[in-house]
Amino acid sequence: MRLAIIGAVLLALGAVAIATGALPFTDLMALVDRVAPILLFVVAMTVVTELCSEAGVFLWTARRLRYWGRGYSILLWLFLAVFATLSTVFLSLDTTAVLLTPVVVSVTRQAGLPALPFALTTVWLANTASLLLPISNLTNLLAQHSLGGITPGGFAGLMWAPALAAVVVPLLFIGIVFRRDLRNRYSRIPVVRIRPDQPAGAESRPAADRVLLGFSALVLALLLPALVSGVPVWIPALAGAVVLGVVFAFRRPRVLKVTLIPWSLLLFASGLFLVMEAARNLGAPMLLSQLAGQGQGFMDLVRLAVTGATGSNVLNNLPAYLLAEPLAGTPVRMAALLIGVNAGPIITPWASLATLLWHDRLVRMNVLITWKGYALFGLIVAPLTVLTAVAVLAATGQ
């Protein structure tokens, strides 16, 4: 509800900008042409991932990983880290924050392990692992357009090295800080019992619809390569949403509700795009140009990445990207900006929507983590991650 209210306020401000001429009609039409396919993709992928989650795809995968961990916490942690990375890369950071967080918490609790290192792994990778593909983050889709519609392969070719660094650094930090927790052993039989007379390992949930589970997994498996094939991503995403919608209409129609569509996010993003476009027309990026530098040397790239990371933690990563985008005139500088706005927003809770969604899921599951503790960890991990990723970019991207 708060997100929707903010979005409504932003839309009102955008309407004022249009009425006063701060956002000319021609610029408005160009903005709509740019962002409409992106928002359509976001809606379609949200429907796909929500339906796949409802079918049990994520929970089934996580439970297999718990079994494959063979009772070793560190092995389970590494498997879940890979799962979170792949989820972020191919399904977006919000999918990881919203759908994977409760699954990870449930699986670690069933294994009798502390949830905190696993929960931190999920939210940090939801942000830092979102550098590799255009579909990994909304900022990447915007950057893809600014880079002349670069192919997913070309985008990955530019970003693979910093993306790898942005995954490794947070994992090394968690591996060191939580090394004692990760040395624990666990039973591969769930320890959670719902009723006193219920044997260990039994679970009070309805039997999975195997047809729905298998079909959803198949749609997801076919969708992933389609999203990186070079076809406009909204096309396969929309096709996947329609196909899954038809299947659910026959197998589980009660799930098909209007709440599947992320209305609050659409309202927020639409209003934010309008306001930021108006701010750009009024010269806001020029105020950042002295901070962000202009060249492609290491320090210039660091300045741009730090500008993006700072703006993300002060405002939010999406407006930080939109304001600094005109300053990223080359592919390498664009990559540096993406490092800042994707891997940097892990200090303040509002730095990315994914972090707020992640914390909301934790509160609902009674997993306690203070924002002060989160920020203290982030003040260490964010600079290390951004600087390392920029150094790798400078060494490989020119």
Side-chain angles (χ1 to χ4, degrees), residues 158-209:
L158 174 66
M159 300 300 300
W160 73 268
L164 180 61
V167 169
V168 170
V169 172
L171 290 181
L172 286 176
F173 180 87
I174 291 176
I176 293 171
V177 172
F178 295 97
R179 58 189 180 279
R180 291 185 179 179
D181 291 331
L182 297 178
R183 290 173 184 164
N184 293 336
R185 297 290 301 274
Y186 68 90
S187 171
R188 284 189 281 180
I189 299 175
V191 299
V192 175
R193 299 184 183 183
I194 307 302
R195 301 187 306 271
D197 61 336
Q198 187 176 6
E203 297 165 0
S204 63
R205 70 181 192 280
D209 185 331

Side-chain angles (χ1 to χ4, degrees), residues 5-330:
I5 293 173
I6 295 172
V9 172
L10 290 172
L11 276 178
L13 292 174
V16 171
I18 296 171
T20 59
L23 180 57
F25 184 76
T26 53
D27 291 348
L28 174 63
M29 290 298 98
L31 178 65
V32 171
D33 182 64
R34 179 187 184 189
V35 304
I38 294 174
L39 293 179
L40 181 58
F41 165 76
V42 170
V43 171
M45 281 303 298
T46 299
V47 172
V48 167
T49 52
E50 288 284 357
L51 292 180
C52 285
S53 177
E54 179 66 29
V57 173
F58 295 107
L59 190 57
W60 182 90
T61 304
R63 285 174 176 161
R64 299 289 79 73
L65 298 180
R66 184 190 69 208
Y67 180 80
W68 295 336
R70 304 181 64 83
Y72 293 93
S73 296
I74 190 167
L75 195 55
L76 175 62
W77 173 66
L78 289 173
F79 278 141
L80 289 174
V82 171
F83 190 14
T85 300
L86 294 177
S87 171
T88 301
V89 168
F90 290 102
L91 300 176
S92 87
L93 73 168
D94 292 337
T95 296
T96 300
V98 173
L99 301 181
L100 194 57
T101 297
V103 170
V104 167
V105 172
S106 296
V107 167
T108 52
R109 280 179 169 172
Q110 289 175 4
L113 298 173
L116 182 57
F118 296 87
L120 276 178
T121 299
T122 303
V123 70
W124 281 349
L125 290 181
N127 287 283
T128 66
S130 65
L131 284 169
L132 186 62
L133 293 175
I135 59 175
S136 306
N137 199 321
L138 182 56
T139 55
N140 296 1
L141 288 170
L142 293 168
Q144 183 186 30
H145 184 277
S146 294
L147 292 171
I150 187 174
T151 65
F155 192 95
L158 174 66
M159 300 300 300
W160 73 268
L164 180 61
V167 169
V168 170
V169 172
L171 290 181
L172 286 176
F173 180 87
I174 291 176
I176 293 171
V177 172
F178 295 97
R179 58 189 180 279
R180 291 185 179 179
D181 291 331
L182 297 178
R183 290 173 184 164
N184 293 336
R185 297 290 301 274
Y186 68 90
S187 171
R188 284 189 281 180
I189 299 175
V191 299
V192 175
R193 299 184 183 183
I194 307 302
R195 301 187 306 271
D197 61 336
Q198 187 176 6
E203 297 165 0
S204 63
R205 70 181 192 280
D209 185 331
R210 293 184 179 275
V211 173
L212 201 56
L213 175 62
F215 200 93
S216 299
L218 177 62
V219 169
L220 195 59
L222 294 174
L223 180 59
L224 297 185
L227 291 174
V228 297
S229 65
V231 175
V233 290
W234 66 269
I235 296 176
L238 183 60
V242 170
V243 170
L244 281 177
V246 171
V247 175
F248 269 81
F250 284 99
R251 304 291 299 188
R252 199 178 296 173
R254 61 177 179 78
V255 174
L256 300 178
K257 304 176 182 178
V258 294
T259 52
L260 283 175
I261 297 176
W263 300 108
S264 296
L265 178 59
L266 280 179
L267 195 62
F268 173 77
S270 300
L272 188 62
F273 282 133
L274 287 176
V275 171
M276 289 300 106
E277 188 67 19
R280 286 171 55 165
N281 285 343
L282 294 174
M286 296 303 296
L287 300 177
L288 297 176
S289 60
Q290 297 300 316
L291 298 174
Q294 298 180 349
Q296 297 193 155
F298 173 66
M299 289 309 302
D300 292 305
L301 298 179
V302 168
R303 288 172 63 184
L304 181 55
V306 170
T307 299
T310 303
S312 297
N313 285 288
V314 172
L315 299 172
N316 176 268
N317 67 329
L318 189 53
Y321 169 82
L322 291 171
L323 288 176
E325 184 186 59
L327 308 177
T330 67

